[in-house]
Amino acid sequence: MKRTNLFTKVNSQLSTCPLIPVNKVLKPCFLSSLLITFLLILSNGVEAAASTTKVTNIGAIIDRNSRTGKEEKTAMQIAVQNFNNISRNHKLSLHFKHPKGDPLQAAYAAEELIKEKKVEVIIGMDTWEEAALVANIGNQSQVPILSFAAPARTPILTSLRWPFLIRMASDGSEQMRCIAALVHSYNWRRVVVIYEDDVLGSEYGNLALLTGALQEVGSEIEYRLVLPPLSFLTDPKDVVQDELMKLQHQTKARVFIVLQSSLPMLTCILGEAKKAGLVGNDTVWIVANSITSFLDSMDIPVFSSMEGTLGIKTYYSSSSSYKRFEALFQKSFRSEYLNENDFQPGIQALRAYDSIGIITRAIEKLGSNITSPKRFLNSVLESDFSGLSGRIRFKDGMLSDAPTLRIVNVVGKKCKELDFWLPNCGFSDTLYVEQGKGRCRNSDGDKTSGGLSGPVIWPGDLTGRDPKGWAMPTEENPLRIIVPRRTSFDKFVTFRIDEKRPVGFCVDLFDEVVKRLNYSIPPVFFEFDGQYGDMIEGVYNKTYDAAIGDITILAERAEYVEFTQPYAESGLSMVVPLETEDTTWIFLKPFNLKMWMVSSALFIYTMLIIWFLEHQTNPEFRGPWKYQFGTALWFTFSSLFFAQRERLYSNFTRVVVVAWLCVVFILTSSYTASLTSMLTVQRMQPNFSQFEKLKNDKLNVGCNNESFVQEYVKDVLGFDHDKIKIFNPENDYTTEFERNSIAAAFLELPYERLFLNQHCKRYTGTKATYRFGGLGFAFQKGSPFAADFSREILCLSEDGNITLLEQKWFAPSPECSTSATNNNVESLSLSSFKGIYIVFAAISTICFLLFLFRLLRNSRLHHEADGGHLTPGGKSGTKYFHNGEKTRVPRRASTFAQALDKDEWGSTKWEYVSNSDNLENN
């Protein structure tokens, strides 16, 4: 058609020419013919090339009025232009649609692009609501959808519900873990979340993720400040101001996390917060990635109001490809958007550029044949390359690699980069921890803390320490402290007449802790006349900031307040009166029962050893059995008093007796010393040592006015309610004991010690079997003061200052001073004499065995010597020697008897018989 028109036009021009001579026109006409021929050939070439070039239409749904949309449009145009410049037979054509922030308009725009522009793929959609509706259109038309948004939490069966949806983003879990780890690293226990609602509630998913991540590290969201969209407000400043005033009255947390906000709303929030004193010392502001991405493009006034803010930003490397893209982007963006102040590309621009790269790689892989939507979709999902925004590969229709984040700090007019946040690692001061080039912290909910590695500039003029993230007390707003007016013992805390400030051990301890802190705490004290549980309630409902005094740490109370490290141990002890001990059998007290039994056994063993060694050679140990036993018993017993008179013949016996006398000397000396102590010191013993006897005998018991002590005595120990008497001042106990109104008093361990320091002569306490959490101070939940006080209390304990305070306030009375001796003298036990008993038993046994061995050897020798004295006829060959009227006859009884008749050194004993006896035998 074009060729026909061209020919018609040329012919018409030629027909209108006037007739002139041929020789004049021959040469010009020839040149005209050549020109016409060249134009016809060129036209044919262009039409042939056009007929073989494939054009792929790409739809783009972006918000052209937002900074994000502007960056995405510029980046996509650059990517398309780069591809068209190098591709000869395939071209890309971009068709933009502007949904104006309405998801329904985005769905309508997708239908229009598919039907009218015949697009084969749609990219864009910066919100999940837009992406979900456009994905439905893509399913119906089988057109792949590349979305720049992803839900905070991926819905179940997303890939089956929207098979043609590809999410060029990751969910918000990694960013929320990063924020939670940042909060934990500085020990901030309570945070405030601020976000601008977009009507569709898109931030609820991120809010749920942040809540779970904070709970894993021991923190929580205490207040949520939800602001309506800026377009819905006629006077945004008044609305923001009212919301901030509510926040100040309902929470003292000063860690503000801005999850989502438009730039105008963020400017309004920061401006009003600064006026209200919420941007200053000990405050923390953290902004999410959706805001940090545009920090560089903000105006200078907005930047100045964000001084000290921490931001979470998606990290991307500055490679050579990025630098080439950056140069093209700045040139194009500056020429198209003159009203913008910053021309640096953000992460959204990089993802938009990579989305075109995904499409072009799929086209090259399929060889320009993308008529099959499913083949094109599969080719896109198989993408695996390193783009400008990071690693591009998909799993279940979403980027499989979690993003690497960077913590930035707003300083002056720029953002200072701090630590990295690496997936499955945590905070790191370098990007290459796997190569051992850096350190990795806060991984997988790690409970360690310590802050970021680099120095951080915080809001206000805070220097030398990290912000507490809490409303710090000032002279105008001091720390409101509740103190019990009446305690069980006023040494702990009490209010004196005409004095507003209390005194006592607890107040002095509080002052010592405050002196050691690196910040000031102006306090104001309020006396409270009521139960300790009501004091805890006052701190819990934020009527008071703290409670100090002799407050027992209990599990039930710890659910409502934050307790410090205990400054004194606590447990339930029973105090009972002392009475004089019966001394009838006191002479048995120096040794305990086991000692008496072993000593008696050793006494009998020694008596038997001496008898065995002496009764064959010593005439005093011979005779009837009763006489022998009596002599041995008398000898052993008299040796206890070193009064033995019997002569010893055996050297073995002498060795045993010497060892025995050593034992006797030690025993008698110890016995005398112990008995003397028992007789000279007044023996006192408690009326009752076990509370079961009190309970079984239905006796009255007393306890202080702490409600939990009463409940404990009744519910745990099992006393009847009418048998429990309530007393408060310490004098009531002594009075009631003297009146016999109570048989025992149940006191907590610190009260028991203080009571006995004054009344140690008349009362005693049992060991605290039932223990509690100790005594401590109470603060509001999330207060940083509890952790600081706990640390300083431990330091005071370690350096002995708490002991000095105890000596000051809990000094015992003169009669109960530490120099006084303990009335209860313990009986001596076997363990004190075990060594000497073993040595003596070994010596006695060795002597016995040696003596026995000698007896057996002598018996065998005599048996061998007497074997040749018998004649062949059986007559005895004994010879008789006459000496006057008596004849000495050597004779031997049994072999063992003969051995017993020998002296231990081998001398033979002879028996003397009369001559008449010899004649009778003959």
Side-chain angles (χ1 to χ4, degrees):
M1 185 69 183
K2 290 182 179 180
R3 195 182 314 172
T4 304
N5 293 337
L6 182 61
F7 276 120
T8 304
K9 183 176 181 181
V10 172
N11 290 334
S12 63
Q13 290 179 351
L14 290 176
S15 62
T16 56
C17 293
L19 295 176
I20 55 177
V22 175
N23 59 348
K24 293 184 178 180
V25 299
L26 181 60
K27 188 174 181 179
C29 288
F30 177 75
L31 295 175
S32 299
S33 299
L34 292 176
L35 179 62
I36 292 170
T37 302
F38 175 75
L39 292 175
L40 291 175
I41 293 172
L42 180 63
S43 176
N44 289 334
V46 170
E47 290 188 5
S51 62
T52 59
T53 300
K54 170 65 176 177
V55 177
T56 298
N57 295 312
I58 301 175
I61 302 177
I62 59 174
D63 184 2
R64 291 178 296 182
N65 295 330
S66 66
R67 171 75 186 198
T68 300
K70 295 175 183 179
E71 290 188 11
E72 291 170 346
K73 179 182 178 183
T74 303
M76 286 187 283
Q77 288 174 338
I78 293 173
V80 169
Q81 184 179 0
N82 291 341
F83 178 80
N84 290 340
N85 289 339
I86 61 176
S87 178
R88 296 182 178 180
N89 58 356
H90 203 125
K91 302 296 180 182
L92 301 180
S93 178
L94 273 174
H95 304 277
F96 291 98
K97 287 294 182 179
H98 175 44
K100 301 178 181 180
D102 187 354
L104 295 178
Q105 289 291 334
Y108 178 76
E111 289 184 345
E112 186 177 353
L113 287 171
I114 294 173
K115 292 179 180 180
E116 297 181 5
K117 302 298 182 180
K118 307 298 180 182
V119 297
E120 299 177 59
V121 61
I122 297 177
I123 59 178
M125 290 74 68
D126 293 311
T127 65
W128 172 245
E129 291 73 23
E130 294 177 351
L133 292 179
V134 173
N136 291 329
I137 305 299
N139 287 350
Q140 297 173 6
S141 304
Q142 293 193 341
V143 174
I145 309 295
L146 267 73
S147 169
F148 297 154
R153 295 187 295 181
T154 303
I156 300 175
L157 303 178
T158 301
S159 299
L160 296 177
R161 185 176 180 182
W162 296 298
F164 283 85
L165 175 63
I166 304 170
R167 288 155 285 165
M168 278 283 296
S170 302
D171 57 25
S173 59
E174 200 65 32
Q175 181 181 194
M176 297 304 112
R177 288 181 65 244
C178 176
I179 294 176
L182 183 61
V183 169
H184 174 68
S185 65
Y186 289 98
N187 294 318
W188 299 321
R189 304 292 300 279
R190 296 292 185 272
V191 302
V192 176
V193 172
I194 302 175
Y195 61 92
E196 181 183 1
D197 192 11
D198 59 0
V199 180
L200 299 174
S202 58
E203 284 304 310
Y204 288 159
N206 281 329
L207 189 63
L209 289 175
L210 180 60
T211 300
L214 288 173
Q215 288 177 351
E216 290 181 0
V217 298
S219 301
E220 65 180 56
I221 299 174
E222 188 168 66
Y223 191 86
R224 300 177 184 179
L225 177 56
V226 184
L227 296 171
L230 188 66
S231 58
F232 289 9
L233 302 177
T234 56
D235 192 351
K237 290 186 177 181
D238 286 346
V239 174
V240 172
Q241 187 178 9
D242 292 342
E243 292 296 330
L244 291 178
M245 289 181 63
K246 294 178 183 177
L247 181 151
Q248 286 180 297
H249 285 92
Q250 295 187 24
T251 179
K252 290 185 176 293
R254 294 297 182 264
V255 179
F256 304 100
I257 301 175
V258 185
L259 285 182
Q260 175 61 42
S261 174
S262 60
L263 293 183
M265 178 61 81
L266 180 64
T267 304
C268 181
I269 293 172
L270 292 173
E272 295 303 317
K274 196 167 187 178
K275 294 178 183 178
L278 298 178
V279 180
N281 291 345
D282 289 293
T283 64
V284 181
W285 287 81
I286 302 173
V287 295
N289 185 35
S290 59
I291 301 173
T292 312
S293 302
F294 302 107
L295 286 180
D296 295 332
S297 63
M298 291 184 179
D299 297 333
I300 295 178
V302 179
F303 237 100
S304 61
S305 64
M306 295 184 64
E307 179 78 15
T309 300
L310 293 177
I312 313 298
K313 186 177 182 180
T314 303
Y315 170 78
Y316 50 87
S317 62
S318 299
S319 60
S320 57
S321 300
Y322 170 79
K323 292 180 179 178
R324 289 193 296 269
F325 168 77
E326 181 185 27
L328 294 173
F329 182 89
Q330 290 178 347
K331 180 179 178 181
S332 178
F333 197 82
R334 183 181 289 107
S335 62
E336 187 172 356
Y337 303 105
L338 300 177
N339 58 340
E340 293 290 339
N341 297 322
D342 183 75
F343 308 108
Q344 288 293 120
I347 186 63
Q348 293 81 4
L350 303 183
R351 285 178 178 167
Y353 184 88
D354 287 340
S355 66
I356 300 298
I358 293 173
I359 296 174
T360 58
R361 281 175 170 78
I363 291 174
E364 293 173 356
K365 184 176 181 180
L366 296 175
S368 301
N369 183 17
I370 58 172
T371 55
S372 173
K374 290 187 176 181
R375 289 186 60 193
F376 179 66
L377 176 66
N378 293 332
S379 180
V380 170
L381 292 175
E382 293 173 357
S383 299
D384 189 356
F385 65 96
S386 295
L388 297 182
S389 61
R391 184 74 175 270
I392 304 297
R393 55 181 176 180
F394 299 97
K395 181 180 180 181
D396 297 330
M398 184 177 67
L399 287 177
S400 60
D401 293 350
T404 298
L405 304 176
R406 192 75 185 263
I407 311 299
V408 298
N409 186 202
V410 178
V411 181
K413 300 178 182 179
K414 63 179 181 178
C415 291
K416 175 185 175 183
E417 294 183 340
L418 300 175
D419 285 9
F420 293 93
W421 173 264
L422 305 180
N424 301 321
C425 175
F427 290 121
S428 173
D429 49 7
T430 183
L431 192 60
Y432 304 102
V433 295
E434 69 277 2
Q435 300 179 9
K437 298 182 179 179
R439 58 193 181 94
C440 194
R441 313 184 308 281
N442 303 89
S443 174
D444 298 329
D446 186 9
K447 299 300 185 292
T448 59
S449 60
L452 300 173
S453 59
V456 181
I457 303 300
W458 302 106
D461 55 355
L462 186 65
T463 57
R465 65 176 179 87
D466 298 325
K468 294 299 178 182
W470 196 259
M472 300 298 287
T474 60
E475 295 294 340
E476 295 78 15
N477 296 303
L479 191 71
R480 297 169 58 86
I481 302 175
I482 185 173
V483 180
R485 188 173 69 87
R486 296 186 65 193
T487 61
S488 298
F489 296 87
D490 58 9
K491 298 289 185 180
F492 284 95
V493 63
T494 187
F495 280 90
R496 293 175 179 172
I497 301 175
D498 298 332
E499 289 187 11
K500 294 183 178 180
R501 184 180 175 86
V503 294
F505 171 83
C506 296
V507 179
D508 283 1
L509 178 60
F510 175 84
D511 293 338
E512 287 294 327
V513 171
V514 172
K515 289 178 184 178
R516 301 170 69 102
L517 297 175
N518 57 356
Y519 53 89
S520 61
I521 299 183
V524 57
F525 297 94
F526 298 88
E527 58 179 311
F528 181 80
D529 189 8
Q531 296 288 334
Y532 281 67
D534 298 332
M535 289 176 54
I536 298 299
E537 178 67 24
V539 177
Y540 170 70
N541 60 27
K542 298 181 174 58
T543 304
Y544 303 98
D545 299 319
I548 69 170
D550 50 341
I551 305 171
T552 306
I553 301 174
L554 301 175
E556 181 183 3
R557 295 175 178 177
E559 295 180 1
Y560 302 99
V561 295
E562 199 88 27
F563 279 106
T564 64
Q565 178 78 15
Y567 59 81
E569 62 176 330
S570 179
L572 196 62
S573 178
M574 184 176 69
V575 176
V576 295
L578 287 171
E579 64 179 9
T580 304
E581 183 180 1
D582 184 13
T583 58
T584 303
W585 300 97
I586 195 172
F587 66 93
L588 296 176
K589 295 291 186 178
F591 293 158
N592 60 16
L593 178 60
K594 191 174 183 180
M595 181 67 180
W596 280 116
M597 293 175 63
V598 174
S599 299
S600 300
L602 194 65
F603 178 86
I604 296 173
Y605 177 73
T606 304
M607 181 188 70
L608 294 176
I609 291 293
I610 293 174
W611 169 81
F612 185 79
L613 296 178
E614 287 292 324
H615 89 283
Q616 295 299 329
T617 59
N618 194 335
E620 296 182 8
F621 285 86
R622 296 178 66 87
W625 284 106
K626 292 182 180 181
Y627 175 79
Q628 295 182 39
F629 177 76
T631 302
L633 180 61
W634 170 253
F635 177 85
T636 309
F637 184 78
S638 61
S639 65
L640 296 176
F641 308 98
F642 305 98
Q644 69 278 5
R645 296 178 179 275
E646 288 76 10
R647 179 185 176 187
L648 300 178
Y649 284 66
S650 173
N651 288 333
F652 288 117
T653 310
R654 294 187 181 100
V655 173
V656 173
V657 170
V658 169
W660 170 247
L661 292 178
C662 292
V663 175
V664 168
F665 176 76
I666 295 174
L667 287 178
T668 54
S669 300
S670 302
Y671 178 88
T672 303
S674 179
L675 183 60
T676 302
S677 300
M678 292 181 178
L679 292 175
T680 55
V681 177
Q682 184 182 10
R683 296 285 295 177
M684 306 291 288
Q685 65 178 5
N687 287 340
F688 303 95
S689 58
Q690 299 294 332
F691 72 87
E692 285 84 358
K693 181 172 177 56
L694 295 170
K695 182 172 60 176
N696 296 334
D697 294 344
K698 302 295 183 179
L699 298 176
N700 292 333
V701 296
C703 63
N704 59 10
N705 63 342
E706 263 281 35
S707 58
F708 90 91
V709 176
Q710 305 171 28
E711 298 297 327
Y712 197 91
V713 173
K714 180 169 65 79
D715 298 336
V716 178
L717 301 186
F719 283 87
D720 295 336
H721 180 72
D722 57 347
K723 298 298 180 182
I724 302 174
K725 306 300 179 183
I726 308 302
F727 305 104
N728 192 19
E730 61 176 300
N731 291 334
D732 285 348
Y733 292 107
T734 57
T735 303
E736 297 301 324
F737 273 127
E738 292 171 357
R739 295 176 180 175
N740 294 324
S741 299
I742 57 175
F746 287 98
L747 300 177
E748 291 186 70
L749 191 58
Y751 306 148
E752 179 239 30
R753 291 175 178 173
L754 188 55
F755 180 82
L756 295 181
N757 279 346
Q758 307 299 322
H759 308 285
C760 62
K761 298 297 183 181
R762 293 183 294 167
Y763 303 93
T764 187
T766 60
K767 185 178 179 181
T769 305
Y770 302 93
R771 295 194 173 274
F772 307 129
L775 303 184
F777 300 154
F779 292 90
Q780 291 182 10
K781 275 286 188 180
S783 171
F785 303 138
D788 293 344
F789 268 64
S790 295
R791 183 184 63 253
E792 298 304 331
I793 287 174
L794 287 176
C795 293
L796 289 171
S797 299
E798 292 171 1
D799 58 24
N801 285 328
I802 287 187
T803 303
L804 295 178
L805 290 178
E806 290 175 349
Q807 293 174 356
K808 173 185 176 182
W809 289 100
F810 307 144
S813 61
E815 63 178 4
C816 297
S817 62
T818 54
S819 60
T821 58
N822 187 0
N823 288 343
N824 296 325
V825 180
E826 295 291 336
S827 299
L828 298 176
S829 63
L830 179 63
S831 59
S832 303
F833 303 92
K834 184 185 297 184
I836 192 171
Y837 277 10
I838 293 175
V839 172
F840 171 72
I843 293 174
S844 301
T845 304
I846 291 173
C847 291
F848 168 75
L849 293 176
L850 290 175
F851 182 78
L852 184 61
F853 172 75
R854 187 176 295 275
L855 286 179
L856 295 176
R857 188 186 65 176
N858 292 339
S859 175
R860 181 174 59 83
L861 292 176
H862 275 281
H863 178 73
E864 294 175 355
D866 293 341
H869 290 170
L870 296 176
T871 62
K875 300 290 184 179
S876 176
T878 304
K879 295 181 180 181
Y880 302 94
F881 300 90
H882 297 275
N883 184 10
E885 296 182 354
K886 298 211 175 176
T887 304
R888 187 176 63 178
V889 183
R891 43 183 279 188
R892 183 177 63 87
S894 64
T895 304
F896 189 71
Q898 179 66 30
L900 291 178
D901 286 341
K902 289 188 61 179
D903 185 72
E904 64 215 63
W905 305 115
S907 60
T908 306
K909 292 190 63 178
W910 295 90
E911 292 184 5
Y912 293 90
V913 296
S914 63
N915 291 332
S916 59
D917 293 335
N918 292 332
L919 294 174
E920 290 177 1
N921 292 333
N922 291 332

